[in-house]
Coordinates of all heavy atoms in Angstrom, one line a residue:
M1 N -47.0 -28.1 -40.7 CA -48.2 -28.8 -41.0 C -49.3 -28.4 -40.0 O -49.1 -28.3 -38.9 CB -48.0 -30.3 -40.9 CG -48.0 -31.0 -42.3 SD -48.0 -32.7 -42.2 CE -46.4 -33.1 -41.4
P2 N -50.5 -28.2 -40.6 CA -51.6 -27.8 -39.7 C -52.0 -29.0 -38.7 O -51.9 -30.1 -39.1 CB -52.8 -27.5 -40.6 CG -52.3 -27.6 -42.0 CD -51.0 -28.3 -41.9
L3 N -52.5 -28.6 -37.6 CA -52.9 -29.6 -36.6 C -54.4 -29.6 -36.6 O -55.0 -28.5 -36.5 CB -52.4 -29.1 -35.2 CG -52.2 -30.1 -34.1 CD1 -51.2 -31.2 -34.5 CD2 -51.7 -29.4 -32.9
Y4 N -55.0 -30.8 -36.7 CA -56.5 -30.9 -36.7 C -56.9 -31.6 -35.5 O -56.2 -32.5 -35.0 CB -57.0 -31.6 -38.0 CG -56.7 -30.9 -39.2 CD1 -55.6 -31.2 -40.0 CD2 -57.5 -29.8 -39.6 CE1 -55.4 -30.5 -41.2 CE2 -57.3 -29.1 -40.7 CZ -56.2 -29.4 -41.5 OH -55.9 -28.7 -42.7
T5 N -58.0 -31.2 -34.9 CA -58.5 -31.9 -33.7 C -59.8 -32.7 -34.1 O -60.7 -32.2 -34.8 CB -58.9 -30.8 -32.7 OG1 -57.7 -30.0 -32.4 CG2 -59.3 -31.5 -31.4
Y6 N -59.8 -33.9 -33.6 CA -60.9 -34.8 -33.9 C -61.4 -35.3 -32.5 O -60.7 -35.3 -31.5 CB -60.4 -36.0 -34.7 CG -60.0 -35.7 -36.1 CD1 -58.7 -35.3 -36.4 CD2 -61.0 -35.7 -37.1 CE1 -58.4 -35.0 -37.7 CE2 -60.7 -35.4 -38.4 CZ -59.3 -35.1 -38.7 OH -59.0 -34.7 -40.0
Q7 N -62.6 -35.8 -32.6 CA -63.2 -36.5 -31.4 C -64.2 -37.5 -31.8 O -64.9 -37.3 -32.9 CB -63.8 -35.4 -30.4 CG -64.3 -36.0 -29.1 CD -64.8 -35.0 -28.1 OE1 -65.2 -33.9 -28.5 NE2 -65.0 -35.4 -26.9
A8 N -64.4 -38.5 -31.0 CA -65.4 -39.6 -31.4 C -66.8 -38.9 -31.5 O -67.1 -38.0 -30.8 CB -65.4 -40.6 -30.3
I9 N -67.5 -39.4 -32.5 CA -68.9 -38.9 -32.8 C -69.7 -39.2 -31.6 O -70.5 -38.3 -31.1 CB -69.4 -39.5 -34.1 CG1 -68.7 -38.8 -35.3 CG2 -70.9 -39.3 -34.2 CD1 -69.0 -39.5 -36.6
S10 N -69.6 -40.4 -31.0 CA -70.4 -40.7 -29.8 C -69.4 -41.2 -28.8 O -68.4 -41.8 -29.1 CB -71.5 -41.7 -30.1 OG -70.9 -43.0 -30.4
Q11 N -69.8 -41.1 -27.5 CA -68.9 -41.6 -26.4 C -69.0 -43.1 -26.3 O -68.1 -43.7 -25.7 CB -69.3 -40.9 -25.1 CG -69.4 -39.4 -25.2 CD -68.0 -38.7 -25.1 OE1 -67.3 -38.8 -24.2 NE2 -67.7 -38.1 -26.2
D12 N -70.0 -43.7 -26.9 CA -70.2 -45.2 -26.8 C -69.1 -45.9 -27.5 O -68.8 -45.6 -28.7 CB -71.5 -45.6 -27.4 CG -72.7 -45.0 -26.7 OD1 -72.6 -44.6 -25.6 OD2 -73.8 -44.9 -27.4
R13 N -68.4 -46.8 -26.9 CA -67.4 -47.6 -27.4 C -66.1 -46.8 -27.9 O -65.3 -47.3 -28.6 CB -67.9 -48.5 -28.6 CG -69.0 -49.4 -28.2 CD -69.3 -50.5 -29.2 NE -69.6 -49.9 -30.6 CZ -70.7 -49.4 -31.0 NH1 -71.8 -49.4 -30.1 NH2 -70.9 -48.9 -32.2
A14 N -66.1 -45.5 -27.6 CA -64.9 -44.7 -27.9 C -63.7 -45.2 -27.0 O -64.0 -45.5 -25.8 CB -65.2 -43.2 -27.7
C15 N -62.5 -45.2 -27.5 CA -61.4 -45.6 -26.8 C -60.8 -44.4 -26.0 O -61.2 -43.3 -26.2 CB -60.4 -46.3 -27.6 SG -59.4 -45.1 -28.7
G16 N -59.8 -44.7 -25.2 CA -59.1 -43.7 -24.5 C -58.5 -42.6 -25.3 O -58.3 -41.4 -24.9
N17 N -58.2 -42.9 -26.6 CA -57.6 -41.9 -27.5 C -58.7 -40.9 -28.0 O -58.4 -39.7 -28.1 CB -57.0 -42.7 -28.7 CG -56.3 -41.7 -29.7 OD1 -55.6 -40.9 -29.3 ND2 -56.7 -41.8 -30.9
C18 N -59.9 -41.4 -28.4 CA -60.8 -40.6 -29.1 C -62.0 -40.1 -28.2 O -62.8 -39.3 -28.7 CB -61.3 -41.3 -30.3 SG -62.2 -42.8 -30.0
V19 N -62.1 -40.6 -27.0 CA -63.2 -40.2 -26.1 C -63.0 -38.7 -25.8 O -64.0 -38.0 -25.7 CB -63.3 -41.0 -24.9 CG1 -62.2 -40.8 -23.9 CG2 -64.7 -40.8 -24.2
L20 N -61.8 -38.2 -25.8 CA -61.5 -36.8 -25.6 C -60.9 -36.3 -26.9 O -60.4 -37.0 -27.7 CB -60.5 -36.6 -24.5 CG -61.0 -37.0 -23.1 CD1 -59.8 -36.9 -22.1 CD2 -62.1 -36.1 -22.6
P21 N -61.0 -35.0 -27.2 CA -60.4 -34.4 -28.4 C -58.9 -34.8 -28.5 O -58.2 -34.7 -27.5 CB -60.7 -32.9 -28.3 CG -61.8 -32.8 -27.3 CD -61.6 -33.9 -26.4
F22 N -58.5 -35.2 -29.7 CA -57.1 -35.5 -29.9 C -56.6 -34.8 -31.2 O -57.4 -34.6 -32.1 CB -56.8 -37.0 -30.0 CG -57.5 -37.7 -31.1 CD1 -56.9 -38.0 -32.3 CD2 -58.8 -38.1 -31.0 CE1 -57.5 -38.7 -33.3 CE2 -59.5 -38.8 -32.0 CZ -58.8 -39.1 -33.2
D23 N -55.3 -34.4 -31.2 CA -54.8 -33.6 -32.4 C -54.1 -34.6 -33.3 O -53.4 -35.5 -32.9 CB -53.8 -32.6 -31.9 CG -54.5 -31.5 -31.0 OD1 -55.6 -31.2 -31.3 OD2 -53.8 -31.0 -30.1
V24 N -54.2 -34.3 -34.6 CA -53.5 -35.0 -35.7 C -52.9 -34.0 -36.6 O -53.5 -33.1 -37.1 CB -54.5 -35.9 -36.5 CG1 -53.8 -36.7 -37.6 CG2 -55.3 -36.9 -35.5
M25 N -51.6 -34.3 -36.9 CA -50.9 -33.4 -37.9 C -51.2 -33.9 -39.2 O -51.0 -35.1 -39.5 CB -49.4 -33.6 -37.7 CG -48.8 -32.8 -36.5 SD -48.5 -31.1 -37.0 CE -47.0 -30.8 -36.0
Q26 N -51.7 -33.1 -40.1 CA -52.1 -33.5 -41.4 C -51.7 -32.4 -42.4 O -51.7 -31.3 -42.2 CB -53.6 -33.7 -41.5 CG -54.1 -35.0 -40.8 CD -55.6 -35.2 -41.1 OE1 -56.4 -34.4 -40.7 NE2 -55.9 -36.2 -41.8
K27 N -51.3 -32.9 -43.6 CA -51.1 -32.0 -44.7 C -52.5 -31.4 -45.2 O -53.5 -32.1 -45.0 CB -50.4 -32.7 -45.9 CG -49.1 -33.2 -45.6 CD -48.4 -33.6 -46.9 CE -47.3 -34.7 -46.7 NZ -47.8 -36.0 -46.9
L28 N -52.4 -30.2 -45.8 CA -53.7 -29.7 -46.2 C -54.4 -30.6 -47.2 O -55.6 -30.6 -47.3 CB -53.4 -28.3 -46.9 CG -53.2 -27.1 -45.9 CD1 -52.7 -25.9 -46.6 CD2 -54.4 -26.8 -45.1
A29 N -53.6 -31.3 -48.0 CA -54.1 -32.2 -49.1 C -54.6 -33.5 -48.5 O -55.4 -34.2 -49.2 CB -53.0 -32.4 -50.1
D30 N -54.3 -33.8 -47.3 CA -54.7 -35.1 -46.7 C -56.2 -35.1 -46.6 O -56.9 -34.1 -46.3 CB -54.1 -35.3 -45.4 CG -52.7 -35.8 -45.5 OD1 -52.2 -36.1 -46.6 OD2 -52.0 -35.9 -44.4
E31 N -56.8 -36.3 -46.8 CA -58.2 -36.6 -46.5 C -58.4 -36.4 -45.0 O -57.6 -36.7 -44.2 CB -58.6 -38.0 -46.9 CG -58.5 -38.3 -48.3 CD -59.7 -37.8 -49.1 OE1 -60.8 -38.0 -48.5 OE2 -59.5 -37.3 -50.2
R32 N -59.6 -35.9 -44.6 CA -59.8 -35.7 -43.2 C -60.1 -37.1 -42.6 O -60.6 -38.0 -43.3 CB -60.9 -34.8 -42.9 CG -62.3 -35.2 -43.3 CD -63.3 -34.1 -43.2 NE -64.6 -34.5 -43.2 CZ -65.4 -34.6 -42.1 NH1 -65.0 -34.3 -41.0 NH2 -66.7 -35.1 -42.3
L33 N -59.7 -37.2 -41.4 CA -59.8 -38.5 -40.6 C -61.2 -38.8 -40.4 O -62.0 -38.0 -40.0 CB -59.1 -38.3 -39.3 CG -58.4 -39.5 -38.7 CD1 -57.3 -40.1 -39.6 CD2 -57.8 -39.2 -37.3
L34 N -61.6 -40.1 -40.7 CA -63.0 -40.5 -40.5 C -63.1 -41.4 -39.4 O -64.2 -41.6 -38.8 CB -63.5 -41.1 -41.8 CG -63.7 -40.2 -43.0 CD1 -64.0 -41.0 -44.2 CD2 -64.7 -39.1 -42.7
A35 N -62.0 -42.1 -39.0 CA -62.1 -43.1 -37.9 C -60.8 -42.9 -37.0 O -59.8 -42.5 -37.5 CB -62.1 -44.5 -38.5
C36 N -61.0 -43.2 -35.8 CA -59.9 -43.2 -34.8 C -58.8 -44.1 -35.2 O -59.1 -45.3 -35.5 CB -60.5 -43.5 -33.4 SG -59.2 -43.8 -32.2
P37 N -57.6 -43.7 -35.2 CA -56.5 -44.6 -35.6 C -56.2 -45.7 -34.6 O -55.6 -46.7 -34.9 CB -55.2 -43.6 -35.7 CG -55.6 -42.4 -35.1 CD -57.1 -42.3 -35.0
E38 N -56.7 -45.5 -33.4 CA -56.5 -46.5 -32.4 C -57.6 -47.6 -32.4 O -57.3 -48.8 -32.3 CB -56.5 -45.9 -31.0 CG -55.5 -44.8 -30.8 CD -54.1 -45.4 -30.6 OE1 -54.0 -46.5 -30.0 OE2 -53.1 -44.8 -31.0
C39 N -58.9 -47.2 -32.5 CA -60.0 -48.2 -32.4 C -60.9 -48.2 -33.6 O -61.8 -49.1 -33.6 CB -60.8 -47.9 -31.1 SG -61.7 -46.4 -31.2
G40 N -60.7 -47.3 -34.5 CA -61.6 -47.3 -35.7 C -63.0 -46.7 -35.5 O -63.8 -46.8 -36.4
H41 N -63.2 -46.1 -34.3 CA -64.5 -45.5 -34.0 C -64.7 -44.3 -34.9 O -63.7 -43.5 -35.1 CB -64.5 -45.1 -32.6 CG -65.9 -44.8 -32.0 ND1 -66.8 -45.8 -31.7 CD2 -66.5 -43.6 -31.8 CE1 -67.9 -45.2 -31.3 NE2 -67.8 -43.9 -31.3
P42 N -65.9 -44.0 -35.5 CA -66.0 -42.8 -36.3 C -65.7 -41.5 -35.5 O -66.1 -41.4 -34.3 CB -67.5 -42.9 -36.7 CG -68.0 -44.3 -36.4 CD -67.1 -44.8 -35.3
V43 N -65.0 -40.6 -36.1 CA -64.6 -39.4 -35.5 C -65.1 -38.2 -36.3 O -65.3 -38.3 -37.5 CB -63.1 -39.3 -35.2 CG1 -62.7 -40.3 -34.1 CG2 -62.3 -39.5 -36.5
K44 N -65.2 -37.1 -35.7 CA -65.6 -35.8 -36.4 C -64.5 -34.8 -36.2 O -63.8 -34.9 -35.1 CB -66.9 -35.3 -35.9 CG -66.9 -34.9 -34.5 CD -68.2 -34.5 -34.0 CE -68.2 -34.2 -32.5 NZ -69.4 -34.2 -31.8
K45 N -64.3 -33.9 -37.1 CA -63.3 -32.9 -37.0 C -63.9 -31.8 -36.1 O -65.1 -31.4 -36.2 CB -63.0 -32.3 -38.4 CG -61.8 -31.5 -38.4 CD -61.3 -31.4 -39.8 CE -60.9 -30.0 -40.2 NZ -60.5 -30.0 -41.6
I46 N -63.1 -31.3 -35.2 CA -63.6 -30.2 -34.3 C -62.8 -28.9 -34.7 O -61.6 -28.9 -34.9 CB -63.3 -30.6 -32.8 CG1 -64.0 -31.8 -32.4 CG2 -63.6 -29.4 -31.9 CD1 -63.6 -32.3 -31.1
I47 N -63.6 -27.8 -34.8 CA -63.0 -26.6 -35.1 C -62.4 -26.0 -33.8 O -63.2 -25.9 -32.8 CB -64.0 -25.6 -35.7 CG1 -64.7 -26.2 -36.9 CG2 -63.3 -24.2 -36.0 CD1 -63.8 -26.6 -38.0
T48 N -61.2 -25.7 -33.8 CA -60.6 -25.1 -32.5 C -60.0 -23.8 -32.8 O -59.7 -23.4 -34.0 CB -59.5 -26.1 -32.0 OG1 -58.5 -26.3 -33.0 CG2 -60.0 -27.4 -31.5
A49 N -59.8 -23.1 -31.8 CA -59.1 -21.7 -31.9 C -57.7 -21.9 -32.3 O -57.1 -23.0 -32.1 CB -59.2 -21.0 -30.5
V50 N -57.2 -20.9 -33.0 CA -55.8 -21.0 -33.5 C -54.9 -21.2 -32.3 O -55.1 -20.5 -31.2 CB -55.4 -19.7 -34.2 CG1 -54.0 -19.6 -34.6 CG2 -56.3 -19.6 -35.5
H51 N -53.9 -22.1 -32.4 CA -52.9 -22.3 -31.3 C -52.0 -21.1 -31.3 O -51.3 -20.8 -32.3 CB -52.1 -23.5 -31.6 CG -52.9 -24.8 -31.4 ND1 -53.0 -25.5 -30.2 CD2 -53.7 -25.4 -32.2 CE1 -53.8 -26.5 -30.3 NE2 -54.3 -26.5 -31.6
L52 N -52.0 -20.3 -30.2 CA -51.1 -19.2 -30.1 C -49.7 -19.7 -29.6 O -49.6 -20.4 -28.6 CB -51.6 -18.2 -29.0 CG -52.9 -17.4 -29.4 CD1 -53.4 -16.6 -28.2 CD2 -52.6 -16.5 -30.6
N53 N -48.7 -19.4 -30.4 CA -47.4 -19.8 -30.1 C -46.7 -18.6 -29.3 O -46.1 -17.7 -30.0 CB -46.6 -20.2 -31.3 CG -45.3 -20.8 -30.9 OD1 -44.9 -20.9 -29.8 ND2 -44.5 -21.1 -32.0
T54 N -46.7 -18.7 -28.0 CA -46.1 -17.6 -27.3 C -44.8 -18.0 -26.7 O -44.2 -17.4 -25.9 CB -47.0 -17.2 -26.1 OG1 -47.3 -18.4 -25.3 CG2 -48.3 -16.6 -26.5
G55 N -44.3 -19.2 -27.2 CA -43.0 -19.7 -26.8 C -43.1 -20.3 -25.4 O -42.1 -20.6 -24.8
T56 N -44.3 -20.5 -24.9 CA -44.4 -21.2 -23.6 C -45.1 -22.5 -23.8 O -45.9 -22.7 -24.8 CB -45.3 -20.3 -22.6 OG1 -46.5 -20.1 -23.2 CG2 -44.6 -19.0 -22.3
T57 N -44.9 -23.4 -22.9 CA -45.7 -24.6 -22.9 C -46.6 -24.6 -21.7 O -46.4 -23.9 -20.8 CB -44.8 -25.8 -22.8 OG1 -44.0 -25.7 -21.7 CG2 -44.0 -26.0 -24.1
G58 N -47.7 -25.4 -21.8 CA -48.6 -25.4 -20.7 C -50.0 -25.2 -21.2 O -50.3 -25.0 -22.4
S59 N -50.9 -25.3 -20.3 CA -52.4 -25.2 -20.6 C -52.7 -23.8 -21.0 O -52.0 -22.8 -20.6 CB -53.2 -25.7 -19.5 OG -53.0 -24.8 -18.4
P60 N -53.8 -23.6 -21.7 CA -54.2 -22.2 -22.0 C -54.4 -21.3 -20.7 O -54.1 -20.2 -20.8 CB -55.6 -22.4 -22.7 CG -55.5 -23.8 -23.3 CD -54.7 -24.6 -22.3
S61 N -54.8 -22.0 -19.7 CA -55.0 -21.2 -18.4 C -53.7 -20.6 -17.9 O -53.7 -19.5 -17.4 CB -55.7 -22.0 -17.4 OG -55.0 -23.1 -17.0
S62 N -52.6 -21.4 -18.1 CA -51.3 -20.8 -17.6 C -50.8 -19.8 -18.6 O -50.2 -18.8 -18.2 CB -50.3 -21.9 -17.3 OG -49.9 -22.5 -18.6
T63 N -51.1 -20.0 -19.9 CA -50.6 -19.1 -20.9 C -51.3 -17.7 -20.7 O -50.7 -16.7 -20.9 CB -51.0 -19.6 -22.3 OG1 -50.4 -20.9 -22.5 CG2 -50.5 -18.7 -23.4
L64 N -52.6 -17.8 -20.2 CA -53.4 -16.6 -20.0 C -53.3 -16.1 -18.6 O -54.1 -15.3 -18.2 CB -54.8 -16.8 -20.4 CG -55.0 -17.0 -22.0 CD1 -56.4 -17.3 -22.3 CD2 -54.6 -15.7 -22.7
S65 N -52.4 -16.6 -17.8 CA -52.3 -16.2 -16.4 C -51.8 -14.7 -16.4 O -51.1 -14.3 -17.3 CB -51.3 -17.1 -15.6 OG -50.0 -16.8 -16.1
E66 N -52.1 -14.0 -15.3 CA -51.7 -12.6 -15.2 C -50.2 -12.4 -15.3 O -49.8 -11.5 -16.0 CB -52.3 -12.0 -13.9 CG -53.8 -11.9 -14.0 CD -54.5 -11.6 -12.7 OE1 -53.7 -11.3 -11.7 OE2 -55.7 -11.7 -12.6
K67 N -49.5 -13.3 -14.8 CA -48.0 -13.2 -14.8 C -47.5 -13.3 -16.3 O -46.7 -12.6 -16.7 CB -47.4 -14.4 -14.0 CG -46.0 -14.1 -13.5 CD -45.5 -15.3 -12.6 CE -44.4 -16.0 -13.3 NZ -44.3 -17.4 -12.9
N68 N -48.1 -14.3 -17.0 CA -47.7 -14.5 -18.4 C -48.1 -13.4 -19.3 O -47.4 -13.0 -20.2 CB -48.3 -15.8 -18.9 CG -47.3 -16.7 -19.6 OD1 -46.3 -16.2 -20.0 ND2 -47.7 -18.0 -19.8
I69 N -49.3 -12.8 -19.0 CA -49.8 -11.7 -19.8 C -48.8 -10.5 -19.7 O -48.4 -10.0 -20.7 CB -51.2 -11.3 -19.3 CG1 -52.2 -12.3 -19.8 CG2 -51.5 -9.9 -19.8 CD1 -53.6 -12.2 -19.2
A70 N -48.4 -10.2 -18.5 CA -47.4 -9.1 -18.2 C -46.1 -9.4 -18.9 O -45.5 -8.6 -19.5 CB -47.3 -8.9 -16.7
K71 N -45.6 -10.7 -18.7 CA -44.3 -11.1 -19.2 C -44.3 -11.0 -20.7 O -43.2 -10.7 -21.3 CB -44.1 -12.6 -18.8 CG -42.6 -13.0 -18.9 CD -42.4 -14.5 -18.5 CE -42.8 -15.4 -19.7 NZ -42.7 -16.8 -19.3
N72 N -45.4 -11.2 -21.4 CA -45.4 -11.1 -22.9 C -45.8 -9.7 -23.4 O -46.1 -9.5 -24.5 CB -46.4 -12.2 -23.4 CG -45.8 -13.6 -23.3 OD1 -44.9 -13.9 -24.1 ND2 -46.3 -14.4 -22.5
G73 N -45.8 -8.8 -22.5 CA -46.0 -7.4 -22.9 C -47.5 -7.0 -23.1 O -47.7 -5.9 -23.7
F74 N -48.4 -7.8 -22.6 CA -49.8 -7.4 -22.7 C -50.3 -6.8 -21.4 O -49.7 -7.0 -20.3 CB -50.7 -8.6 -23.0 CG -50.4 -9.2 -24.4 CD1 -49.6 -10.3 -24.5 CD2 -50.9 -8.6 -25.5 CE1 -49.3 -10.9 -25.8 CE2 -50.7 -9.1 -26.8 CZ -49.9 -10.2 -26.9
T75 N -51.4 -6.1 -21.5 CA -52.0 -5.5 -20.3 C -53.4 -6.1 -20.2 O -54.1 -6.2 -21.2 CB -52.0 -4.0 -20.4 OG1 -50.7 -3.5 -20.5 CG2 -52.7 -3.4 -19.1
Q76 N -53.8 -6.4 -19.0 CA -55.2 -7.0 -18.9 C -55.9 -6.1 -17.9 O -55.4 -5.7 -16.8 CB -55.1 -8.4 -18.4 CG -56.5 -9.1 -18.2 CD -56.4 -10.5 -17.6 OE1 -55.9 -10.6 -16.4 NE2 -56.8 -11.5 -18.3
Y77 N -57.2 -5.8 -18.2 CA -58.1 -5.1 -17.3 C -59.3 -5.9 -17.0 O -59.7 -6.8 -17.7 CB -58.5 -3.8 -17.9 CG -57.4 -2.7 -18.0 CD1 -56.5 -2.7 -19.0 CD2 -57.3 -1.9 -16.9 CE1 -55.5 -1.7 -19.1 CE2 -56.2 -0.9 -16.9 CZ -55.4 -0.8 -18.0 OH -54.4 0.1 -18.0
R78 N -59.8 -5.7 -15.8 CA -61.0 -6.4 -15.3 C -62.0 -5.4 -15.1 O -61.8 -4.3 -14.6 CB -60.6 -7.1 -14.0 CG -61.7 -7.8 -13.3 CD -61.2 -8.6 -12.1 NE -60.5 -7.8 -11.1 CZ -61.1 -7.3 -10.0 NH1 -62.4 -7.7 -9.7 NH2 -60.5 -6.6 -9.2
K79 N -63.2 -5.7 -15.6 CA -64.4 -4.7 -15.5 C -64.8 -4.8 -14.1 O -65.2 -5.8 -13.5 CB -65.5 -5.1 -16.5 CG -66.6 -4.1 -16.6 CD -67.6 -4.5 -17.6 CE -68.7 -3.5 -17.8 NZ -69.6 -3.8 -18.8
V80 N -64.9 -3.6 -13.4 CA -65.4 -3.6 -12.0 C -66.7 -3.0 -11.9 O -67.5 -3.2 -11.0 CB -64.4 -2.9 -11.1 CG1 -63.1 -3.7 -10.8 CG2 -64.0 -1.5 -11.6
A81 N -67.1 -2.1 -12.9 CA -68.4 -1.5 -12.9 C -68.6 -1.0 -14.3 O -67.6 -1.0 -15.1 CB -68.5 -0.4 -11.9
K82 N -69.8 -0.5 -14.6 CA -70.0 0.0 -16.0 C -69.1 1.1 -16.3 O -69.1 2.1 -15.6 CB -71.5 0.5 -16.1 CG -72.0 0.7 -17.5 CD -73.5 1.0 -17.5 CE -74.0 1.1 -18.9 NZ -73.5 2.3 -19.6
G83 N -68.3 0.9 -17.3 CA -67.3 2.0 -17.7 C -66.1 2.1 -16.9 O -65.3 3.0 -17.0
H84 N -65.9 1.2 -15.9 CA -64.8 1.3 -15.0 C -64.0 -0.1 -15.1 O -64.6 -1.1 -14.9 CB -65.2 1.5 -13.6 CG -65.8 2.9 -13.4 ND1 -65.0 4.0 -13.1 CD2 -67.1 3.3 -13.5 CE1 -65.8 5.0 -13.0 NE2 -67.1 4.6 -13.3
Y85 N -62.7 0.1 -15.3 CA -61.8 -1.1 -15.4 C -60.6 -1.0 -14.5 O -60.1 0.1 -14.4 CB -61.4 -1.3 -16.9 CG -62.5 -1.6 -17.8 CD1 -63.2 -0.5 -18.4 CD2 -62.9 -2.9 -18.1 CE1 -64.3 -0.7 -19.2 CE2 -64.0 -3.1 -18.9 CZ -64.7 -2.0 -19.5 OH -65.8 -2.3 -20.3
E86 N -60.2 -2.1 -13.9 CA -59.1 -2.1 -13.0 C -58.0 -3.0 -13.6 O -58.3 -4.1 -14.1 CB -59.6 -2.8 -11.7 CG -58.9 -2.4 -10.5 CD -59.7 -3.0 -9.3 OE1 -59.5 -4.2 -9.1 OE2 -60.4 -2.3 -8.5
K87 N -56.8 -2.5 -13.6 CA -55.7 -3.3 -14.2 C -55.4 -4.5 -13.4 O -55.3 -4.5 -12.1 CB -54.4 -2.4 -14.3 CG -53.3 -3.1 -15.1 CD -52.1 -2.2 -15.2 CE -51.4 -2.1 -13.9 NZ -50.2 -1.2 -13.9
T88 N -55.3 -5.7 -14.0 CA -54.9 -6.9 -13.3 C -53.5 -7.4 -13.7 O -52.9 -8.2 -13.0 CB -55.9 -8.1 -13.6 OG1 -56.0 -8.2 -15.0 CG2 -57.3 -7.7 -13.1
A89 N -53.0 -6.9 -14.8 CA -51.6 -7.4 -15.2 C -51.1 -6.4 -16.3 O -51.9 -5.7 -17.0 CB -51.7 -8.8 -15.8
G90 N -49.8 -6.3 -16.3 CA -49.1 -5.5 -17.3 C -48.9 -4.0 -16.9 O -49.0 -3.6 -15.8
K91 N -48.5 -3.2 -17.9 CA -48.2 -1.8 -17.7 C -49.4 -1.0 -18.1 O -50.3 -1.4 -18.9 CB -47.0 -1.4 -18.6 CG -45.7 -2.1 -18.3 CD -44.6 -1.5 -19.1 CE -43.2 -2.1 -18.7 NZ -43.0 -3.3 -19.5
G92 N -49.5 0.2 -17.6 CA -50.5 1.1 -17.9 C -51.2 1.7 -16.7 O -50.8 1.3 -15.6
P93 N -52.2 2.6 -16.9 CA -52.8 3.1 -15.7 C -53.5 2.0 -14.9 O -54.0 1.0 -15.4 CB -53.9 4.1 -16.3 CG -53.9 3.8 -17.8 CD -52.7 3.0 -18.1
D94 N -53.6 2.3 -13.6 CA -54.2 1.2 -12.7 C -55.7 1.1 -12.9 O -56.2 0.0 -12.8 CB -53.9 1.6 -11.2 CG -52.5 1.4 -10.8 OD1 -51.8 0.6 -11.6 OD2 -52.0 1.9 -9.8
T95 N -56.3 2.2 -13.3 CA -57.7 2.1 -13.5 C -58.1 2.9 -14.8 O -57.4 3.8 -15.2 CB -58.6 2.7 -12.4 OG1 -58.2 4.0 -12.2 CG2 -58.4 1.9 -11.1
I96 N -59.1 2.4 -15.5 CA -59.6 3.2 -16.7 C -61.1 3.5 -16.4 O -61.8 2.6 -16.0 CB -59.5 2.3 -18.0 CG1 -58.0 2.1 -18.3 CG2 -60.2 3.1 -19.1 CD1 -57.8 1.2 -19.5
S97 N -61.4 4.7 -16.6 CA -62.8 5.1 -16.3 C -63.4 5.8 -17.5 O -62.7 6.6 -18.1 CB -62.9 5.9 -15.1 OG -64.2 6.4 -15.0
A98 N -64.6 5.5 -17.9 CA -65.2 6.2 -19.0 C -65.5 7.7 -18.6 O -65.8 8.5 -19.5 CB -66.5 5.5 -19.4
D99 N -65.5 8.0 -17.3 CA -65.8 9.4 -16.9 C -64.6 10.3 -17.0 O -64.7 11.5 -16.9 CB -66.3 9.4 -15.4 CG -67.5 8.5 -15.3 OD1 -68.3 8.4 -16.2 OD2 -67.7 7.9 -14.2
D100 N -63.4 9.7 -17.2 CA -62.2 10.6 -17.2 C -62.2 11.5 -18.4 O -62.5 11.1 -19.5 CB -60.9 9.7 -17.2 CG -60.7 9.0 -15.9 OD1 -61.4 9.4 -14.9 OD2 -59.9 8.0 -15.9
Ligands
ZN1 ZN1 -60.6 -44.5 -30.5

């Protein structure tokens, strides 16, 4: 079932549940949520990035950590200058240069 993210339209009178974005599992056919299930405050649907299932749990920052990137077989480069990149994680050449 897809996961939808909602958040209170305004922060005024929003409860602890809806003051921050919260996820709701809904069928595609379900009506979109119009009010917070906890306090009834009007909520809006938030478009979020697709949840990447890498088999790990944790915050996106830990999922995208250099250790995790390498563990999952990805390579990450950091731009150090125009046309020059330095490897920060994974396999591959240590540097990439547009002049090579
Ligand atoms: Zn609420």
Side-chain angles (χ1 to χ4, degrees):
M1 248 190 299
L3 204 59
Y4 295 100
T5 304
Y6 293 91
Q7 187 176 15
I9 286 169
S10 73
Q11 306 284 295
D12 299 339
R13 300 193 307 278
C15 74
N17 180 53
C18 61
V19 71
L20 296 171
F22 61 99
D23 295 330
V24 179
M25 282 275 218
Q26 288 186 292
K27 297 192 202 99
L28 284 171
D30 281 354
E31 293 281 318
R32 69 191 193 106
L33 210 62
L34 294 173
C36 170
E38 302 285 325
C39 70
H41 196 79
V43 292
K44 64 184 173 196
K45 196 158 133 184
I46 296 172
I47 307 299
T48 53
V50 172
H51 290 266
L52 290 174
N53 187 0
T54 54
T56 58
T57 53
S59 64
S61 60
S62 70
T63 305
L64 291 174
S65 71
E66 289 168 12
K67 202 177 115 206
N68 225 344
I69 286 170
K71 197 180 80 183
N72 285 291
F74 293 101
T75 303
Q76 183 187 58
Y77 285 89
R78 179 169 60 97
K79 189 174 182 178
V80 288
K82 194 173 186 292
H84 294 271
Y85 296 86
E86 210 173 71
K87 189 177 70 179
T88 53
K91 296 190 179 82
D94 287 340
T95 57
I96 295 176
S97 170
D99 303 329
D100 289 347

